[in-house]
Structure formats: structure tokens, C-alpha cells
Amino acid sequence: MSKRISILGSTGSIGRQSLDVIAACGMSVAALTANSSVGRMEEQARRFKPELAVLVDEKAAADLRVRLADTNVRVLSGMEGLMEAAAISSADTVITAVVGMVGLRPTLAAIREGKRIALANKETLVCAGQLVLEEAKDYGAQILPVDSEHSALFQSLEGNKDRGEVKRLILTCSGGPFYGKTREQLQGMTREDALRHPNWSMGAKITVDSATLMNKGLEFMEAMHLYHMPPEKIAIVIHRESIIHSLVEYCDNAMIAQLGSPDMRLPIQYALTWPKRVPGPATPLDLWNCGPLTFGTPDLDTFRCLALALEAAKAGGTAGAILNGANEAAVAQFLAGEIGFLDIADKVARAMEKVPVVRDPGLTDILEADAAAREAAR
């Protein structure tokens, strides 16, 4: 069970909910990091009294340093500060809640210090899963999932000693705000439309990924690495209510699922308290009033990003880094109003066609594939 935590991305949705869990469970904070949210970081630093606070943006960090001058909190900036927060000696656990490829190097730094990794940054495994898992094994670091779907799979697999008995991992998918729409209807969807997720409150990038279903494709690839499963043993089912968070189907056709309210504090807490369960702040599930549960098949023709992610999953190598890099660039353009919603998939497809896949990549190959994909998408 975790005692002292470093949070990479503390001002975002996962970071803020992680602090709710830490406060409720009597844990403490060693370090907090964010990109540029000076006001929120100051509030968090004053409340949780970490040794270290990091803002990647140097001007924001300079402002924070002045604001916290009356405290004992050290303030750092840039990737160097992020790496120090990841490897800080007083933390036994690092929550990686930063969004995107930027989380890879700090996660590796934490792994090399033998930390427990509460992983919310799915891009780390999508882009460099084999490398990350090999390093975790070499340095004795635990990787525990924070995503609700992967936490559900983790919990549903806990009683299973023989992975050969697993028939399929089944990831549930809400379908996002555009479920049931045609490609013609998606043509005119705006930033505001895409950010109206029916069940979850998340940051802008992951919410757009949920609208395109790219998020589920990234989770598909993450599941392959976390649970050592080939793509043919992973399936996706549309489950609009987000009550069943994922399921494991066994060879005897029994299914074991984890249910809960759509509240990220529950999977965050389990990543911190495992193998124990303790009372926490997550919303209890009211089975008597949650309504009927429904299931359906994802539409790969309309939601091309999911189809492209499944292609990358089968290709392996740097295909995940290419897919992810192009998607990050395209989503940023969409959020800035520079391209349309359907253009996201077009740009990802173009990058996957243009950038060659390296089959057995090292870290340099992965970073180069990411950079080339972003350039192709731009």
C-alpha cells in the first residue's frame, strides 16, 4: 500500500481526483507537477505541503516560486523538474497523470528508481510498451493501472493464476458523445460538441479521443502490454451506461466483471492501496436506480480512429508511436479550430501511410517515430 506519492499532472482531472483519494486515505504528497496552472498549483502546494512543486512552463514556474517564497516547497521547471519529481527519493509511488507522449521519459525515470507506478498515462505503453515493461522487470517496479477499464480487468484477473484460462479481455466503451451518428452527421461537429461526454468529466484531449473512439483504441493496445495478450484475445463492447468497467471471459465461458459508478477515484484508489481495500471517497453504485445496462458493437466504418488503432495494434513495433503522435497533433489542431472533426482520422491515416514502422524499436526509434508522425499530421 502506498504511503507517500508524487503526482505528475496534479492540476488535471486525474491529478485532482488523486489528491481527493490521498486526503481521504491519510497518505502524503512528496511532489506535484503541472504544465502552467500557477493558481491551482499554489493552492495544492499550500494544502498538501510537498517537498517539490514543478511547472513545466518556465515563466509559470518563476511566478510560482515567488508565490511560495514563504513556504519550504522547492519549485523547479521544465523536463528536468518533471524528471526529478518522478524520481524523488521520498516517494514510494508515482501517479503518472500527464497527458501524451511527454509522460514517457518521467515514467521511465520512476521505474528506474523501483517505484510503484500508478499509470494513467496510456501513451507510455501504447508507444513503448515492450521497453517500459522490460525496464519495470529489470528494476523491480510495479505498474498498476489507473484507467477504469484496465483497473476493472486487473481486478477481474486477480483470482486467476493461469492466464491460459483467459478466453478474452472485453473492454467496455461508452461510445462517447457521438454514438449512433453517421459520418455525414459527424462532418459538422465542433469542439464544443466533442467535449460533451455523456458520463465522464475529463480533460479536453482525452474527451476528444473518446468522441473519435481513439481512446478505446489506445486502451486496446495498452491492454495487450499490461496483460500480455495478443490482439485477437481482446474485444470491445459499447456499454453506454459506464457501470460495467470491463470484463474477463474465461475458457469455460464464465465472465467476471467489475462494476462501479463512473467515478475515477475508485480505480485511482485501488492502484494506491492494492492489495488492500480501504474506505474511500468514490461514489457508491446504486444498483436499484442505475437503470438497465445495454451493450452493442462499435461502428468501425464511422469511427475510423478506432479502426486505425486496431491496425496499429496488429502491426506492432513503432506503429503505436506513429498512431499516437499523429493523433496528438491532429487533436491539438481540432481543439484550436484549425481542422474538422473527421480530419483527425484522415491525418492519422496519412501519417501511418508515410512513416515507416520499426519492428523492434529502442527509445530513440520510438521518439523519432513520434516526431515524424507529428510532422506528417501537420
Side-chain angles (χ1 to χ4, degrees):
M1 181 166 168
S2 304
K3 295 181 180 179
R4 192 157 173 80
I5 321 296
S6 178
I7 305 178
L8 310 183
S10 67
T11 63
S13 176
I14 295 296
R16 298 196 304 274
Q17 292 176 87
S18 297
L19 289 170
D20 289 345
V21 171
I22 288 167
C25 295
M27 301 169 184
S28 63
V29 174
L32 299 172
T33 84
N35 184 37
S36 59
S37 300
V38 180
R40 185 166 280 168
M41 178 60 80
E42 181 186 4
E43 292 173 9
Q44 292 179 348
R46 290 189 180 279
R47 180 183 176 192
F48 290 93
K49 299 177 173 58
E51 299 164 44
L52 176 64
V54 178
L55 289 176
V56 175
D57 183 271
E58 293 188 4
K59 289 184 178 179
D63 186 2
L64 183 66
R65 197 170 288 113
V66 173
R67 293 182 183 217
L68 295 179
D70 60 325
T71 73
N72 294 322
V73 179
R74 281 195 305 133
V75 177
L76 295 177
S77 64
M79 178 56 73
E80 182 179 345
L82 201 58
M83 298 285 280
E84 183 162 339
I88 193 167
S89 60
S90 59
D92 52 60
T93 299
V94 177
I95 299 174
T96 60
V98 293
V99 176
M101 185 68 167
V102 70
L104 175 58
R105 287 179 58 205
T107 301
L108 288 172
I111 285 171
R112 289 165 185 164
E113 295 298 321
K115 310 287 190 187
R116 171 180 290 198
I117 310 296
L119 186 67
N121 175 263
K122 58 178 61 67
E123 294 86 357
T124 292
L125 291 185
V126 168
C127 298
Q130 183 176 343
L131 174 66
V132 168
L133 293 177
E134 286 175 356
E135 296 233 344
K137 183 178 179 180
D138 290 344
Y139 289 94
Q142 293 176 325
I143 298 179
L144 297 177
V146 164
D147 275 345
S148 61
E149 295 84 355
H150 291 112
S151 180
L153 292 175
F154 178 73
Q155 294 178 63
S156 298
L157 285 165
E158 280 200 271
N160 173 249
K161 303 299 182 187
D162 181 0
R163 290 294 165 85
E165 296 174 353
V166 174
K167 184 177 179 181
R168 282 190 303 178
L169 306 179
I170 303 174
L171 291 162
T172 56
C173 173
S174 72
F178 300 148
Y179 175 73
K181 294 190 181 298
T182 65
R183 283 185 61 80
E184 291 72 25
Q185 290 172 318
L186 293 179
Q187 187 71 50
M189 290 297 143
T190 66
R191 179 185 193 276
E192 289 68 31
D193 296 326
L195 293 178
R196 294 192 189 103
H197 196 283
N199 300 333
W200 297 95
S201 176
M202 305 175 291
K205 195 268 181 182
I206 191 173
T207 305
V208 173
D209 282 350
S210 295
T212 64
L213 300 198
M214 176 63 86
N215 189 55
K216 203 55 50 180
L218 299 178
E219 288 175 2
F220 185 101
M221 286 186 277
E222 193 177 7
M224 290 171 57
H225 293 293
L226 278 172
Y227 306 111
H228 308 288
M229 289 288 169
E232 59 269 19
K233 295 186 75 171
I234 304 173
I236 296 169
V237 63
I238 300 294
H239 170 55
R240 293 291 286 162
E241 298 77 24
S242 298
I243 298 298
I244 295 176
H245 295 299
S246 279
L247 313 90
V248 177
E249 183 179 17
Y250 289 94
C251 59
D252 59 358
N253 296 323
M255 288 189 181
I256 296 179
Q258 185 263 324
L259 285 71
S261 297
D263 185 337
M264 281 302 300
R265 292 174 297 180
L266 186 120
I268 291 168
Q269 179 173 314
Y270 197 57
L272 299 181
T273 65
W274 180 85
K276 295 185 177 182
R277 294 185 184 271
V278 301
T283 307
L285 174 62
D286 182 358
L287 284 172
W288 292 264
N289 293 295
C290 71
L293 306 182
T294 61
F295 305 93
T297 303
D299 180 353
L300 298 183
D301 292 329
T302 299
F303 295 93
R304 289 180 59 222
C305 280
L306 178 55
L308 291 167
L310 298 181
E311 287 180 25
K314 292 176 182 177
T318 55
I322 295 165
L323 174 97
N324 180 75
N327 182 64
E328 284 190 30
V331 170
Q333 290 173 323
F334 172 70
L335 288 170
E338 297 169 1
I339 63 172
F341 182 75
L342 292 178
D343 295 329
I344 296 172
D346 291 340
K347 285 179 172 287
V348 173
R350 186 179 308 124
M352 290 176 67
E353 290 171 3
K354 290 183 66 174
V355 182
V357 173
V358 177
R359 295 298 169 189
D360 188 19
L363 182 58
T364 299
D365 299 314
I366 292 164
L367 295 175
E368 288 177 352
D370 171 74
R374 291 171 192 271
E375 182 60 32
R378 284 192 288 266

